[in-house]
Amino acid sequence: MPDGVLRLATWNVNSIRTRLDRVLDWLTRAEIDVLAMQETKCSDTQFPSLPLFELGYEVAHVGFNQWNGVAIASRVGLDDVQIGFEGQPTWSSKPEVAATAEARALGATCGGVRVWSLYVPNGRTLDDPHYTYKLKWLAALRDTAAGWLQDDPNAPIALVGDWNIAPTDEDVWSPEFYRGSTHVSEPERKAFNAIVDAQFADVVRPFAPGPGVYTYWDYTRLRFQKRQGMRIDFVLASPALAARVVDARIDREERKGKAPSDHAPVVVDVNVV
């Protein structure tokens, strides 16, 4: 990796305990400075921090059970850790259980960059309460993130993770196949674009243009082998940070091999100030 560059990545690992060896190996080979992870699928006490510490990474994690879970591993500092963002909506799948904030957002300052590891709610179906929750969650994130830039227009902020949205038809292998489904609906796309309009730019697309560039492939029906994927994992950067991005890529190779996640890592290189 070139001197003076911070390498930031995001990866929905789909269970850190299942994917730990792959993550550790990739961190070393790819020379990652900061890795945001989603769907860790474990509690804080179950998270395998020690192997990451042994590689030189500090770790922050929030997870309550076998669902959701987000983490940040950094070898360039890990400061001002914050669980959840201001105004983050709550959720409960059962009427008799009180709604709480899920383990879907974690912020930390790493190498001078404010990194947010985000696991946006799936939405399930267009008529499911989880879909309404998803839209509220995105609206709250937009309002809060816009407030951060109002307070400091030069703040280097990275909103990274699994957004569970394909913002354009080009981001799915078949628009017709997904018609009437979540991830591609107009309200979801508007919610995503509202965050872009709040000055958080997709800094990967300029380096990975065109159709057929995806970050997620379902395990079923040989979707990966058939190149039938979706681009739903993003790095959205504030203006000050976007101006420092010098390279980006989607590491499709990590979707191959034994017991992969169904997502590939997304990597961004940022000039150090």
Side-chain angles (χ1 to χ4, degrees), residues 218-235:
D218 193 278
Y219 288 127
T220 64
R221 300 181 183 273
L222 298 175
R223 294 292 186 209
F224 180 73
Q225 291 82 350
K226 295 177 181 178
R227 297 182 177 270
Q228 296 176 345
M230 308 176 77
R231 191 173 77 106
I232 58 176
D233 302 82
F234 297 91
V235 176

Side-chain angles (χ1 to χ4, degrees), residues 1 7 27-28 30-34 55-58 73-77:
M1 186 170 56
R7 181 160 289 168
L27 281 171
T28 302
E31 299 183 278
I32 303 299
D33 294 309
V34 183
L55 278 185
Y57 292 87
E58 298 177 79
S74 172
R75 63 181 186 181
V76 292

Side-chain angles (χ1 to χ4, degrees), residues 8-20:
L8 166 66
T10 181
W11 193 0
N12 179 322
V13 296
N14 191 17
S15 177
I16 184 61
R17 290 178 291 173
T18 301
R19 241 61 73 180
L20 179 60

Side-chain angles (χ1 to χ4, degrees), residues 155-171:
I157 304 171
L159 307 178
V160 312
D162 177 359
W163 293 76
N164 273 314
I165 299 172
T168 72
D169 283 352
E170 194 174 59
D171 297 313

Side-chain angles (χ1 to χ4, degrees), residues 173-241:
W173 69 273
S174 169
E176 185 60 35
F177 177 83
Y178 291 105
R179 200 171 308 281
S181 302
T182 60
H183 293 56
V184 300
S185 72
E186 194 61 27
E188 289 168 285
R189 287 178 167 179
K190 285 183 177 178
F192 182 92
N193 286 327
I195 296 172
V196 174
D197 291 342
Q199 299 188 72
F200 288 89
D202 173 4
V203 293
V204 177
R205 195 49 146 175
F207 298 92
V213 178
Y214 308 128
T215 64
Y216 164 84
W217 302 260
D218 193 278
Y219 288 127
T220 64
R221 300 181 183 273
L222 298 175
R223 294 292 186 209
F224 180 73
Q225 291 82 350
K226 295 177 181 178
R227 297 182 177 270
Q228 296 176 345
M230 308 176 77
R231 191 173 77 106
I232 58 176
D233 302 82
F234 297 91
V235 176
L236 301 188
S238 64
L241 185 64

Side-chain angles (χ1 to χ4, degrees), residues 129-141:
H130 206 258
Y131 179 77
T132 302
Y133 164 59
K134 178 179 190 175
L135 296 178
K136 289 180 178 178
W137 202 96
L138 288 161
L141 175 62

Side-chain angles (χ1 to χ4, degrees), residues 97-110:
V97 178
T100 59
E102 295 183 297
R104 293 185 176 274
L106 182 69
T109 301
C110 309

